[in-house]
Amino acid sequence: MSFLDCVNCPLRIKPLFVPFTDEELRFMRSFKIGEVDVPAGGTVVNEGEQTDHLFTVLQGMGTRSVLLEDGRRQVINFVFPGDFVGLQATLMGEMKHTVRAITPMRLCSFARKRLWEMFRDQPARAYDLTWIAAVEEHFLGENIATLGQRDATERMSWALLRIWRRLQAVGLVRGTTVPLPFRQQDVADALGLSLVHTNKTVARLRRDGLAIWSGGQLTVPDLERLARAAGIENLREVVRPIL
Amino acid sequence: MSFLDCVNCPLRIKPLFVPFTDEELRFMRSFKIGEVDVPAGGTVVNEGEQTDHLFTVLQGMGTRSVLLEDGRRQVINFVFPGDFVGLQATLMGEMKHTVRAITPMRLCSFARKRLWEMFRDQPARAYDLTWIAAVEEHFLGENIATLGQRDATERMSWALLRIWRRLQAVGLVRGTTVPLPFRQQDVADALGLSLVHTNKTVARLRRDGLAIWSGGQLTVPDLERLARAAGIENLREVVRPIL
DNA sequence: CGGCAGCTTGACTACGGTCAATGACCGTGG
DNA sequence: CCACGGTCATTGACCGTAGTCAAGCTGCCG
């Protein structure tokens, strides 16, 4: 094959993910049908559409977003390596949000048609997929709590910390710095803030040395301090399966 | 048995839910191990705790909520008949939110230990459970869009409309009125608004005749008009499976 | 009757939105 | 080579939605 063999997948062995059994590894190698590259700015899946494929992000970052009728956009959350994409299209008949690539992305692809086969023959993998959905649900719940209860500074601290930790978990940290390719507008749409206020909030965190986001890089000198600003106590990332 | 036989379940035959096959019905009758009653104000499952049971709500309403460290509370969403409770505890090791009964609730209970058995022997039911999780994910996404993008009037219109439609779908509407047992504080915590502002917003909708919420009852004289105020185009409820 | 929980209303405040202008950077084409 | 236009980041001035504080009201239960 011309694409990455799951055997050599650098992602699945990260401590963020539940390790594969031999049986699972064998199945995933047959389940994976290829890879898809999406250029920066491209669309992975589109709200309202069906897709023939399910994906696991191998490289790159993106956003999940929905559009309100009047054009307002909400970024539901960010998409990082290891995240699963396309479940809704398969189960509910259509995607309920759009996934857009911010950096160039490479995704492992699976055939939608064979998902049922997985449920029938690989209950352990089906269980893991449900687990993944439950974890996603948990994250969205956290997100709701942030939008509903935290002010702008707390929101921004919270978001930057979560992103930093997530990227660290997939090995994208160098020292105290991770790449952060999103525009301020993307983060504004994620946090429910205006672009202007987002900018001013980022500037404040930068001045205070809590989180330095600039030039596509995010540096967090002191995790604990940022966590305190965000009102987070638990810094541990939730371990989850990966498909 | 001393509890409701799934054969006679009034919920599962509602058009809101995907019908059972005979095989599924047979399995569910064996999978259901009993019923649990929770008084108004009681706790169904607690954030941070494990549970021995999974539940499907048979009667009554409640809230899913998380507590921030400093005591602020966010209501993630509301719980209505037909909703599934406890997935996270089973898959992730602990509940990530609390489910509290607002009215007295009756829940069908299932043994957590037997969930794996379901994945192994009943792939169709496992598939449905994942489907349910995906639908839940979709709702949380909608919720995030509302908190992030809509102002107080839109949020309230949106929430009351969603609740009204959901209760109608399970047969709790009489004319244009449904029971609405939540306190204004509950809705305030759900919408990320202060109690005072929630009250004023409810009052405005009432004055304008868009939605009359008073005395534990919600009347929506004109769905279309309320939908317009909420910025919703699609009034159709998402059909989903039920366990 | 008193106390409590929940709802209502008014006065004041402030966080975050809107508007507008400017700056930094970059790719393209004259 | 540099001018131009586009995208994104930044900053200041002003404004409005929603938060806070405080008081009063209603209904219910002991």
Side-chain angles (χ1 to χ4, degrees), chain A residues 204-225:
Chain A
R204 185 162 346 106
L205 292 183
R206 190 186 303 137
R207 260 198 309 282
D208 297 348
L210 282 168
I212 299 94
W213 174 20
S214 170
Q217 304 279 316
L218 169 65
T219 301
V220 177
D222 185 343
L223 271 182
E224 300 285 351
R225 215 152 68 84

Side-chain angles (χ1 to χ4, degrees), chain A residues 6 16 39 76 89 157 171-172 190 209:
Chain A
C6 299
L16 179 63
I76 305 290
S157 306
L172 289 172

